[in-house]
Amino acid sequence: MTSTVPALGTRTAEGSALQAVLLDMDGTLVDTEGFWWDVEVEVFAALGHTLDESWRHVVVGGPMTRSAGFLIEATGADITLAELTVLLNEGFEGRIGQALPLMPGADRLLAELHLHGVPTALVSASHRRIIDRVLSVLGQHHFALSIAGDEVSRTKPFPDPYLLAAAGLGADPARCAVVEDTATGVAAAEAAGCRVVAVPSVAPIGPAEGRTVVASLEEVDLAFLRGLMTEMR
């Protein structure tokens, strides 16, 4: 499946300063951050290594190359990055094939954005093969485009994925609201110049200028996101 990019200049309802909503996937829309860690623990156990629980905060939210590379170096496991990437993706696909729980409020938020015609993109550090599996559950129709971690030269925490998503939707990054659950994703969105809503999943995220922290997606709706842009005026 390839990304679908609408014509440039797409905008939300007249009078709204909000031009697009860009959403992270793992830990933000789907409750899968724990899946990744469980798979990493299982794969390294098969290689004869035990992962330290403290490493979970290091690898969460990061691109596969960074997370896998860190774990190889930390454990000294005899496996290449390419080999480990295959094992992790296969293990994760097996997990989501059994169950794919959504985060509280995700269904309602996606339905509301779609109902009001708000240009929306899925922006994830996960690979395309994983994103496509998740989109089949979330509903492809909810997203005008999706950006995968293996489709950009630099993924999160670099701003590239969010800049690419904003450009694809014909939106000014400063008029895009991003919803993220990790410090890595927040850093990427803020570097792109977006307004950020942080919904921490595994590790705490503190408030900052241009960033709003909430406990759950159930606190986020279209009026809330438009309010973020109103504060800029």
Side-chain angles (χ1 to χ4, degrees):
M1 182 183 297
T2 57
S3 301
T4 302
V5 181
L8 294 180
T10 302
R11 292 293 183 265
T12 58
E14 184 177 354
S16 171
L18 177 68
Q19 294 179 353
V21 176
L22 315 178
L23 299 161
D24 174 55
M25 187 177 76
D26 293 302
T28 298
L29 294 177
V30 289
D31 191 6
T32 51
E33 289 292 10
F35 285 13
W36 281 113
W37 178 248
D38 290 344
V39 170
E40 288 160 350
V41 168
E42 289 180 3
V43 168
F44 277 90
L47 295 171
H49 298 275
T50 300
L51 300 189
D52 191 308
E53 182 68 24
S54 66
W55 297 343
R56 183 173 184 174
H57 290 176
V58 178
V59 301
V60 67
M64 177 81 69
T65 52
R66 189 195 74 183
S67 300
F70 168 82
L71 293 175
I72 290 173
E73 182 175 354
T75 61
D78 184 18
I79 189 171
T80 68
L81 182 60
E83 291 168 339
L84 180 57
T85 296
V86 170
L87 292 177
L88 293 178
N89 275 326
E90 288 178 347
F92 185 79
E93 283 188 273
R95 278 284 201 285
I96 63 177
Q98 299 170 26
L100 185 58
L102 302 188
M103 299 298 288
D107 251 350
R108 186 263 315 148
L109 178 59
L110 290 175
E112 183 180 17
L113 295 175
H114 182 67
L115 176 65
H116 290 275
V118 179
T120 303
L122 187 67
V123 183
S124 176
S126 290
H127 290 188
R128 170 56 58 187
R129 60 185 286 186
I130 300 298
I131 287 180
D132 286 348
R133 289 288 298 276
V134 174
L135 280 173
S136 68
V137 175
L138 290 177
Q140 175 71 50
H141 64 285
H142 286 129
F143 304 96
L145 62 84
S146 58
I147 306 293
D150 56 341
E151 295 174 340
V152 291
S153 57
R154 301 191 309 174
T155 188
K156 306 172 188 179
F158 294 100
D160 306 34
Y162 282 112
L163 292 174
L164 182 60
L169 295 175
D172 177 355
R175 296 295 177 180
C176 292
V178 169
V179 184
E180 272 280 0
D181 74 302
T182 67
T184 298
V186 167
E190 291 179 344
C194 304
R195 300 287 286 189
V196 178
V197 179
V199 192
S201 60
V202 175
I205 298 174
E209 184 177 354
R211 179 195 311 167
T212 303
V213 182
V214 299
S216 167
L217 277 186
E218 293 181 314
E219 299 179 39
V220 181
D221 58 15
L222 182 53
F224 178 92
L225 296 174
R226 282 177 170 163
L228 299 178
M229 300 299 128
T230 301
E231 295 171 7
M232 297 173 59
R233 294 174 180 174

